[in-house]
Amino acid sequence: MSVLSSFLGTTGFATMTLGHLVMIIIGIVFITLAIARHYEPLLLLPIGFGVIVGNIPHIESMALGVYDVGSVLSYIYFGVSQGIFPPLIFLGIGAMTDFSTMLSNPKLVLLGGAAQIGIFLTLIGALYIGFTPEEAAAIGIIGGADGPTAIFLSSKLAPHLLGAIAIAAYSYMALVPVIQPPVMMLLTTQKERRIRMKEPRAIGKRERIIFPIAAFLIAALIAPGSIALLGMLFFGNLMKESGVTERLAESARNALIDIVTILLGFSVGASTQADTFLTPQSLLIFGLGAVSFAVATAGGVLFAKLMNLFLKEKINPLVGAAGVSAVPDSARVVQMVGQQEDPQNYLLMHAMAPNVAGVIGSAISAGILWSVLVK
Amino acid sequence: MSVQYDFQNVIDNQGISIAITGMLIVFVALCLISLFISILPRIVSALNNRFPEPAEAATVSSSTDPAIVAAIGLALHRRSQATGGRRT
């Protein structure tokens, strides 16, 4: 009888707290959103199930959770905590990214830089609230709208905030179609939203092969902290564009990125244990993340308007909103908002240029912040 | 961490300097990449004069017909809605 009593004391029912219950409900909400609403299903489903797994209470002497030394989950989480998974995801992204639109209109690259203002203004906001510089930088990077970059930088600067930052980053990426349009509408006139842009020019194979090598050298020599992310991004792209490693590129953009996404999503979800996740700090991170996204969008749009003061061939300022990475969501939002004003205006291809430039810009920003704040 | 709303924390931790320097460096890097892309056609042209590119690999033209671009956009959108799409 004492064995049964002792066993019952170890069950999840006996040790369940209100916090665990809340987190399990959050996990179920994520899964529901993924399945019923198709909100970021590739990420929200693994994260949601990970949240449930990570919040099943267990006795301390059993190594089960991601933070328990020697547990299976801790080995999977190692890829997150040591920043291994984000570069691997960048490898896959590079192998599927076509830089042609960016190569055909180089001035749009600058929009990918302007949108990074969301990162740096949020950093100031987070410092103002009382976060440490390392925490503030990790929170600010949410504005880069780039999940892997946010995870990479948090793992380096503020690992204790990684769960909240990752969840915030991916949640807001799912909300790009909700957050961006009001900002875009507010900052542009109807006339500006109707601007049509010149068709992209044809890009030669040699241009597409030389670009990843040269762009990596430029970015990495300026911000060596971005080597891991940009090195993998451009390496993946070179595999794709070279035409001689199609098998490797195919693996990187399909099997590899899928495997890493599963492991990353699941282990990030499992890291959000109630006692560390359900804190006022997490709420602040969510609040700052939303501001960061909105500021980044505004930065891109306003910079496009500024560029128009000097350009003969005008840019549709909506395209600036795609400067936040969130590939390809923000580019699709640009297309959608543009077509509300002019159904014959096709902005998607143009928006992909600042979109991929935003990926490069946020990785460079992460590299800079890591270099400046690393101890 | 305690919420304190104190701008002194920004100043003490060089928040403004980090933000300005960070933005500046990002812009310098992207400006250089942009400049490089601008001169890339000339570099390639010079290369092509010296080492002609094989005919089949010469160029991949971008879609010039807006209807094709729209169709691609729609197809991508639908596929993304069905599968969750690619995210970064």
Short mmCIF file of all heavy atoms in Angstrom, two decimals, chain A residues 14-44:
data_model
loop_
_atom_site.label_atom_id
_atom_site.label_comp_id
_atom_site.label_asym_id
_atom_site.label_seq_id
_atom_site.Cartn_x
_atom_site.Cartn_y
_atom_site.Cartn_z
N ALA A 14 -0.64 14.64 -8.84
CA ALA A 14 -0.34 15.04 -7.46
C ALA A 14 0.50 16.31 -7.39
O ALA A 14 0.37 17.10 -6.47
CB ALA A 14 0.39 13.90 -6.75
N THR A 15 1.37 16.49 -8.39
CA THR A 15 2.29 17.63 -8.30
C THR A 15 1.92 18.78 -9.23
O THR A 15 2.64 19.76 -9.32
CB THR A 15 3.73 17.16 -8.64
OG1 THR A 15 3.66 16.34 -9.81
CG2 THR A 15 4.32 16.36 -7.51
N MET A 16 0.78 18.65 -9.90
CA MET A 16 0.34 19.69 -10.84
C MET A 16 0.03 21.01 -10.10
O MET A 16 -0.61 21.02 -9.07
CB MET A 16 -0.92 19.20 -11.57
CG MET A 16 -1.58 20.19 -12.50
SD MET A 16 -0.76 20.27 -14.09
CE MET A 16 -1.16 18.72 -14.84
N THR A 17 0.53 22.11 -10.67
CA THR A 17 0.22 23.43 -10.11
C THR A 17 -0.65 24.18 -11.11
O THR A 17 -0.78 23.76 -12.27
CB THR A 17 1.50 24.25 -9.86
OG1 THR A 17 2.12 24.49 -11.14
CG2 THR A 17 2.46 23.54 -8.94
N LEU A 18 -1.18 25.31 -10.68
CA LEU A 18 -2.01 26.13 -11.57
C LEU A 18 -1.17 26.59 -12.78
O LEU A 18 -1.64 26.62 -13.92
CB LEU A 18 -2.55 27.36 -10.82
CG LEU A 18 -3.47 28.26 -11.63
CD1 LEU A 18 -4.75 27.53 -12.03
CD2 LEU A 18 -3.82 29.52 -10.83
N GLY A 19 0.10 26.91 -12.52
CA GLY A 19 0.99 27.34 -13.59
C GLY A 19 1.14 26.29 -14.68
O GLY A 19 1.08 26.59 -15.88
N HIS A 20 1.34 25.04 -14.24
CA HIS A 20 1.46 23.95 -15.22
C HIS A 20 0.19 23.86 -16.06
O HIS A 20 0.25 23.71 -17.29
CB HIS A 20 1.68 22.61 -14.50
CG HIS A 20 3.02 22.50 -13.84
ND1 HIS A 20 3.18 22.16 -12.52
CD2 HIS A 20 4.26 22.69 -14.33
CE1 HIS A 20 4.48 22.14 -12.22
NE2 HIS A 20 5.15 22.47 -13.31
N LEU A 21 -0.94 23.97 -15.38
CA LEU A 21 -2.23 23.85 -16.07
C LEU A 21 -2.38 24.96 -17.12
O LEU A 21 -2.79 24.71 -18.27
CB LEU A 21 -3.37 23.93 -15.03
CG LEU A 21 -4.71 23.38 -15.47
CD1 LEU A 21 -4.61 21.92 -15.83
CD2 LEU A 21 -5.74 23.59 -14.35
N VAL A 22 -2.02 26.19 -16.71
CA VAL A 22 -2.11 27.33 -17.64
C VAL A 22 -1.23 27.09 -18.86
O VAL A 22 -1.64 27.30 -20.01
CB VAL A 22 -1.70 28.65 -16.93
CG1 VAL A 22 -1.55 29.79 -17.93
CG2 VAL A 22 -2.72 29.02 -15.87
N MET A 23 0.00 26.60 -18.61
CA MET A 23 0.92 26.36 -19.73
C MET A 23 0.41 25.26 -20.66
O MET A 23 0.55 25.34 -21.88
CB MET A 23 2.32 26.01 -19.21
CG MET A 23 3.08 27.16 -18.59
SD MET A 23 3.21 28.63 -19.63
CE MET A 23 4.17 28.04 -20.99
N ILE A 24 -0.18 24.22 -20.06
CA ILE A 24 -0.72 23.13 -20.90
C ILE A 24 -1.85 23.69 -21.77
O ILE A 24 -1.95 23.37 -22.97
CB ILE A 24 -1.21 21.96 -20.01
CG1 ILE A 24 0.02 21.24 -19.42
CG2 ILE A 24 -2.06 20.98 -20.81
CD1 ILE A 24 -0.31 20.22 -18.36
N ILE A 25 -2.68 24.58 -21.20
CA ILE A 25 -3.76 25.19 -21.99
C ILE A 25 -3.16 26.05 -23.12
O ILE A 25 -3.62 26.01 -24.26
CB ILE A 25 -4.69 26.02 -21.08
CG1 ILE A 25 -5.47 25.08 -20.16
CG2 ILE A 25 -5.65 26.88 -21.90
CD1 ILE A 25 -6.21 25.76 -19.03
N ILE A 26 -2.09 26.79 -22.78
CA ILE A 26 -1.42 27.60 -23.82
C ILE A 26 -0.92 26.69 -24.96
O ILE A 26 -1.07 26.98 -26.14
CB ILE A 26 -0.25 28.42 -23.23
CG1 ILE A 26 -0.81 29.54 -22.33
CG2 ILE A 26 0.64 29.02 -24.33
CD1 ILE A 26 0.25 30.34 -21.58
N GLY A 27 -0.35 25.56 -24.57
CA GLY A 27 0.13 24.60 -25.58
C GLY A 27 -1.01 24.12 -26.47
O GLY A 27 -0.87 24.04 -27.70
N ILE A 28 -2.14 23.82 -25.84
CA ILE A 28 -3.31 23.35 -26.62
C ILE A 28 -3.81 24.47 -27.54
O ILE A 28 -4.18 24.21 -28.70
CB ILE A 28 -4.43 22.86 -25.67
CG1 ILE A 28 -3.96 21.58 -24.95
CG2 ILE A 28 -5.73 22.60 -26.42
CD1 ILE A 28 -4.86 21.12 -23.82
N VAL A 29 -3.77 25.72 -27.05
CA VAL A 29 -4.19 26.86 -27.89
C VAL A 29 -3.28 26.96 -29.12
O VAL A 29 -3.75 27.15 -30.25
CB VAL A 29 -4.16 28.19 -27.08
CG1 VAL A 29 -4.32 29.39 -27.99
CG2 VAL A 29 -5.27 28.18 -26.02
N PHE A 30 -1.97 26.82 -28.91
CA PHE A 30 -1.02 26.88 -30.03
C PHE A 30 -1.35 25.79 -31.07
O PHE A 30 -1.36 26.05 -32.28
CB PHE A 30 0.41 26.68 -29.54
CG PHE A 30 1.05 27.93 -28.99
CD1 PHE A 30 0.29 29.05 -28.69
CD2 PHE A 30 2.41 28.00 -28.75
CE1 PHE A 30 0.87 30.21 -28.18
CE2 PHE A 30 3.01 29.14 -28.24
CZ PHE A 30 2.24 30.24 -27.95
N ILE A 31 -1.59 24.58 -30.57
CA ILE A 31 -1.88 23.47 -31.48
C ILE A 31 -3.18 23.75 -32.24
O ILE A 31 -3.27 23.53 -33.46
CB ILE A 31 -1.97 22.14 -30.70
CG1 ILE A 31 -0.58 21.77 -30.15
CG2 ILE A 31 -2.49 21.01 -31.58
CD1 ILE A 31 -0.58 20.61 -29.17
N THR A 32 -4.16 24.29 -31.51
CA THR A 32 -5.44 24.61 -32.15
C THR A 32 -5.26 25.67 -33.23
O THR A 32 -5.80 25.55 -34.34
CB THR A 32 -6.45 25.12 -31.08
OG1 THR A 32 -6.48 24.18 -30.02
CG2 THR A 32 -7.84 25.28 -31.67
N LEU A 33 -4.49 26.71 -32.90
CA LEU A 33 -4.25 27.78 -33.89
C LEU A 33 -3.55 27.22 -35.13
O LEU A 33 -3.85 27.60 -36.26
CB LEU A 33 -3.40 28.89 -33.28
CG LEU A 33 -4.08 29.82 -32.27
CD1 LEU A 33 -3.07 30.78 -31.66
CD2 LEU A 33 -5.20 30.61 -32.94
N ALA A 34 -2.61 26.30 -34.88
CA ALA A 34 -1.85 25.71 -36.00
C ALA A 34 -2.77 24.88 -36.89
O ALA A 34 -2.71 24.99 -38.13
CB ALA A 34 -0.72 24.85 -35.46
N ILE A 35 -3.63 24.09 -36.27
CA ILE A 35 -4.46 23.16 -37.06
C ILE A 35 -5.69 23.87 -37.63
O ILE A 35 -5.99 23.77 -38.82
CB ILE A 35 -4.88 21.95 -36.20
CG1 ILE A 35 -3.63 21.15 -35.79
CG2 ILE A 35 -5.85 21.05 -36.96
CD1 ILE A 35 -3.90 20.06 -34.77
N ALA A 36 -6.39 24.62 -36.76
CA ALA A 36 -7.66 25.21 -37.20
C ALA A 36 -7.48 26.48 -38.01
O ALA A 36 -8.23 26.75 -38.94
CB ALA A 36 -8.54 25.49 -35.98
N ARG A 37 -6.48 27.31 -37.65
CA ARG A 37 -6.31 28.60 -38.32
C ARG A 37 -5.09 28.65 -39.24
O ARG A 37 -4.83 29.68 -39.86
CB ARG A 37 -6.23 29.72 -37.28
CG ARG A 37 -7.40 29.77 -36.30
CD ARG A 37 -8.72 30.08 -37.00
NE ARG A 37 -8.71 31.36 -37.65
CZ ARG A 37 -9.08 32.51 -37.08
NH1 ARG A 37 -9.55 32.49 -35.86
NH2 ARG A 37 -9.03 33.65 -37.74
N HIS A 38 -4.33 27.58 -39.28
CA HIS A 38 -3.10 27.52 -40.10
C HIS A 38 -2.12 28.64 -39.75
O HIS A 38 -1.40 29.12 -40.62
CB HIS A 38 -3.45 27.59 -41.60
CG HIS A 38 -4.06 26.33 -42.11
ND1 HIS A 38 -4.09 25.98 -43.43
CD2 HIS A 38 -4.68 25.33 -41.46
CE1 HIS A 38 -4.70 24.81 -43.57
NE2 HIS A 38 -5.08 24.42 -42.38
N TYR A 39 -2.09 29.06 -38.48
CA TYR A 39 -1.12 30.06 -38.04
C TYR A 39 0.21 29.36 -37.82
O TYR A 39 0.35 28.60 -36.87
CB TYR A 39 -1.56 30.72 -36.73
CG TYR A 39 -2.58 31.82 -36.86
CD1 TYR A 39 -3.11 32.42 -35.73
CD2 TYR A 39 -3.01 32.28 -38.09
CE1 TYR A 39 -4.05 33.44 -35.82
CE2 TYR A 39 -3.95 33.29 -38.19
CZ TYR A 39 -4.47 33.86 -37.06
OH TYR A 39 -5.39 34.86 -37.16
N GLU A 40 1.20 29.63 -38.67
CA GLU A 40 2.54 29.07 -38.50
C GLU A 40 2.50 27.59 -38.08
O GLU A 40 3.15 27.22 -37.10
CB GLU A 40 3.30 29.86 -37.43
CG GLU A 40 3.62 31.28 -37.80
CD GLU A 40 4.90 31.40 -38.60
OE1 GLU A 40 5.51 30.35 -38.89
OE2 GLU A 40 5.28 32.51 -38.96
N PRO A 41 1.76 26.72 -38.79
CA PRO A 41 1.62 25.35 -38.30
C PRO A 41 2.95 24.61 -38.14
O PRO A 41 3.09 23.79 -37.23
CB PRO A 41 0.72 24.68 -39.35
CG PRO A 41 0.77 25.56 -40.54
CD PRO A 41 1.07 26.94 -40.07
N LEU A 42 3.90 24.89 -39.04
CA LEU A 42 5.16 24.15 -38.96
C LEU A 42 5.91 24.45 -37.66
O LEU A 42 6.77 23.68 -37.24
CB LEU A 42 6.06 24.50 -40.16
CG LEU A 42 5.49 24.19 -41.54
CD1 LEU A 42 6.51 24.49 -42.62
CD2 LEU A 42 5.05 22.74 -41.64
N LEU A 43 5.61 25.58 -37.06
CA LEU A 43 6.28 25.95 -35.82
C LEU A 43 5.37 25.85 -34.61
O LEU A 43 5.76 25.33 -33.57
CB LEU A 43 6.82 27.39 -35.94
CG LEU A 43 7.96 27.53 -36.93
CD1 LEU A 43 8.16 28.95 -37.35
CD2 LEU A 43 9.22 26.97 -36.31
N LEU A 44 4.14 26.35 -34.75
CA LEU A 44 3.27 26.37 -33.58
C LEU A 44 2.88 24.96 -33.12
O LEU A 44 2.67 24.74 -31.93
CB LEU A 44 2.01 27.21 -33.85
CG LEU A 44 2.21 28.73 -33.82
CD1 LEU A 44 0.86 29.45 -33.78
CD2 LEU A 44 3.04 29.19 -32.63
#
